DNA sequence: ACCTGAACACCGTTCAAGT
DNA sequence: ACCTGAACACCGTTCAAGT
């Protein structure tokens, strides 16, 4: 098993600089820059995060940032980890309750920082915060008799579910303007009604006619989220029961 | 119920131009442009898709594209729908078999066109192709006694699952280079081993030690996908059984 | 070894002039 | 009403010169 060198971004996320420094110490640390970038993203969205705006926020020249990050892309990667909250604390009300909390909290922070969704870094977690989320999920399943592989798969599945639901809710909550490329909920049902023909889309047409898309609030609120989550948790429960038998 | 005007992009995806034309007919249609853009994305990835490269591919000047799409963003939206294959044909082997096929096919086309993942348009479907996928999923559940709302939620959940799995598999299949911001599978286990401390990440450390991340092939292959999918399908099955009882 | 001004490269989009 | 050359705006990144 070879020891790979840590990729630079990963090293930075964990506060391990690739090269020890001699001479003058840098006037800033990466954390300050990342915090500034997060503040901008919260305020102006991801489009507001430019190397120039981040530099201005910390009071440096734009190019000085390249002392701390190799590229804007790397800065975004570090932000994506640093912007996560801590996962819910483990409790002893059982795995099902904990994982439900965990998944909901996961969705909630994505909704509170939608630019994390736009970042689209659904890559395997490598930063301290995201790995803590992973750790807590598999910890909650420690007494179920499931193996590590299964527990990791479950964590990945639940986290994917949280992402999907957050993306959906966020997309539907936006209002569409004419220049925009996505459709908000207000128009959605109406758009489908105008566009669908019953021959090509028989069931969907019926669903629209049956008013299955509800009104604004319903679709986005918790009913759908809980519904799908319970599907998953039921499946996990069945798996555990099978193992115990 | 107000009739909203169709958003321009949606109108274009369905071949309904916003304004009727007088005078000279355009020399191209949107489909030709979109096909060219898809060809480029398949060949060079999403970064290769520039207004200039698309125009060159169809033999026009760059600015002529703005006759056909309002912006690059809109072009990408139309591409995202046009690049989808048709959903699997409905058969009569029951909803579970069909939805398993459907979800797998969904993941597979995402893996064959990874730029669809990078596009990150996990918005509610509004184009002809993506709505056909939705239609087929809820059609498969027609005889289960579930309502339209539940059937739509299930479709959204399964599609979210396919996206999550595809994103994960794709991320792990890439190899990391030094300038890169993500970690490929080859290094992943090793990186975790170097970076995790047992105090902060007790369960994850144990999982790494237990070799739960397997070797290259295993993690990406179908075992994990089927595992999570079965969790979902079991949950759906339980829901149906509950309703029938 | 750090910081930074000037300059470069790239690309989406606007505009006004062609036909 | 379509097509297009020139020009503009914007932004990430490099480089060489400062301290």
């Amino acid at each position: 098993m070879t020891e790979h060198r840590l990729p630079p971004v990963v090293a930075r996320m964990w506060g391990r600089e690739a090269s020890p420094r001699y001479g003058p110490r840098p006037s800033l640390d990466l954390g300050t820059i990342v915090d500034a970038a997060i503040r901008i993203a919260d305020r102006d969205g991801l489009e507001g995060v430019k190397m120039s705006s981040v530099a201005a926020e910390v009071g440096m020249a734009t190019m000085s940032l390249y002392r701390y990050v190799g590229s804007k892309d790397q800065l975004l990667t570090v932000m994506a980890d640093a912007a996560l909250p801590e996962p819910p604390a483990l409790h002893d009300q059982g795995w099902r309750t904990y994982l439900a909390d965990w998944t909901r909290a996961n969705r909630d922070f994505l909704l509170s920082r939608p630019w994390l969704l736009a970042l689209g870094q659904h890559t395997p977690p490598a930063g301290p915060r995201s790995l803590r989320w992973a750790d807590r999920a598999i910890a909650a399943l420690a007494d179920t008799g499931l193996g590590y592989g299964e527990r990791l798969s479950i964590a990945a599945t639940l986290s994917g579910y949280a992402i999907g639901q957050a993306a959906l809710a966020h997309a539907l909550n936006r209002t569409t303007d004419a220049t925009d490329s996505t459709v908000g909920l207000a128009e959605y049902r109406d758009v489908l009604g105008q566009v669908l023909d019953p021959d090509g889309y028989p069931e969907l047409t019926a669903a629209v006619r049956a008013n299955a898309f509800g009104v604004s609030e319903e679709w986005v609120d918790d009913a759908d989220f809980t519904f799908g989550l319970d599907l998953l948790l039921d499946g996990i429960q069945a798996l555990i029961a099978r193992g115990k038998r």
Side-chain angles (χ1 to χ4, degrees), chain A residues 23 70 82 112 128 134 142 144 155 157 161 172 179 202 213 223 225:
Chain A
S112 75
T144 55
T157 302
Y161 179 71
L172 287 173
T179 66
F213 290 90
F225 178 78

Side-chain angles (χ1 to χ4, degrees), chain A residues 214-236:
Chain A
V215 277
S216 309
E217 282 66 44
E218 283 185 60
W219 177 258
V220 180
D221 85 356
D222 266 6
D224 283 296
F225 178 78
T226 309
F227 174 82
L229 178 57
D230 280 334
L231 293 187
L232 279 164
L233 295 174
D234 287 350
I236 296 167

Side-chain angles (χ1 to χ4, degrees), chain A residues 12 32 64 105 110 126 132 146 157 183-184 196 232 239 241:
Chain A
R12 267 187 269 257
T32 311
S64 309
L110 289 171
R132 203 126 53 212
L146 299 178
T157 302
V183 184
L196 293 177
L232 279 164
L239 177 77

Side-chain angles (χ1 to χ4, degrees), chain A residues 17-219:
Chain A
E17 288 310 300
S19 55
R21 288 189 226 280
Y22 312 85
R25 314 202 61 245
S27 58
L28 259 56
D29 58 356
L30 181 59
T32 311
I33 294 172
V34 170
D35 288 348
I38 291 175
R39 222 175 304 131
I40 295 174
D42 284 340
R43 192 201 320 134
D44 306 326
L46 207 53
E47 323 87 53
V49 179
K50 315 170 215 248
M51 295 306 266
S52 55
S53 65
V54 174
E57 180 89 9
V58 296
M60 298 180 91
T62 305
M63 327 81 216
S64 309
L65 295 183
Y66 291 92
R67 289 279 123 202
Y68 302 87
V69 267
S71 66
K72 183 182 179 183
D73 215 56
Q74 293 191 0
L75 175 59
L76 294 175
T77 301
V78 182
M79 284 172 68
D81 191 76
L84 306 190
E86 289 294 331
L90 282 168
H91 52 58
D92 49 5
Q93 298 168 39
W95 65 266
R96 184 163 178 138
T97 308
Y98 181 78
L99 288 186
D101 291 349
W102 184 96
T103 309
R104 183 178 301 275
N106 198 327
R107 181 204 57 169
D108 286 344
F109 75 67
L110 289 171
L111 284 177
S112 75
R113 295 211 147 125
W115 53 269
L116 285 169
L117 290 167
L119 221 41
Q121 307 216 120
H122 317 320
T123 75
R129 287 287 171 81
S130 37
L131 286 175
R132 203 126 53 212
W133 280 81
D135 186 76
R136 296 308 178 266
I138 66 175
L141 292 164
D143 296 332
T144 55
L146 299 178
Y148 285 119
E150 293 167 316
R151 287 150 67 188
L152 286 166
S153 280
I154 289 171
T157 302
L158 289 176
S159 144
Y161 179 71
I163 294 171
Q165 289 294 309
L168 193 63
H170 183 248
L172 287 173
N173 273 326
R174 326 185 353 144
T175 40
T176 322
D177 63 280
T179 66
D180 222 338
S181 317
T182 42
V183 184
L185 178 70
E187 294 99 338
Y188 192 55
R189 188 176 174 281
D190 201 37
V191 163
L192 292 189
Q194 286 183 57
V195 121
L196 293 177
D197 72 292
D199 289 341
Y201 307 82
E203 291 293 323
L204 213 44
T205 311
V208 172
R209 292 212 178 121
N211 211 358
F213 290 90
V215 277
S216 309
E217 282 66 44
E218 283 185 60
W219 177 258

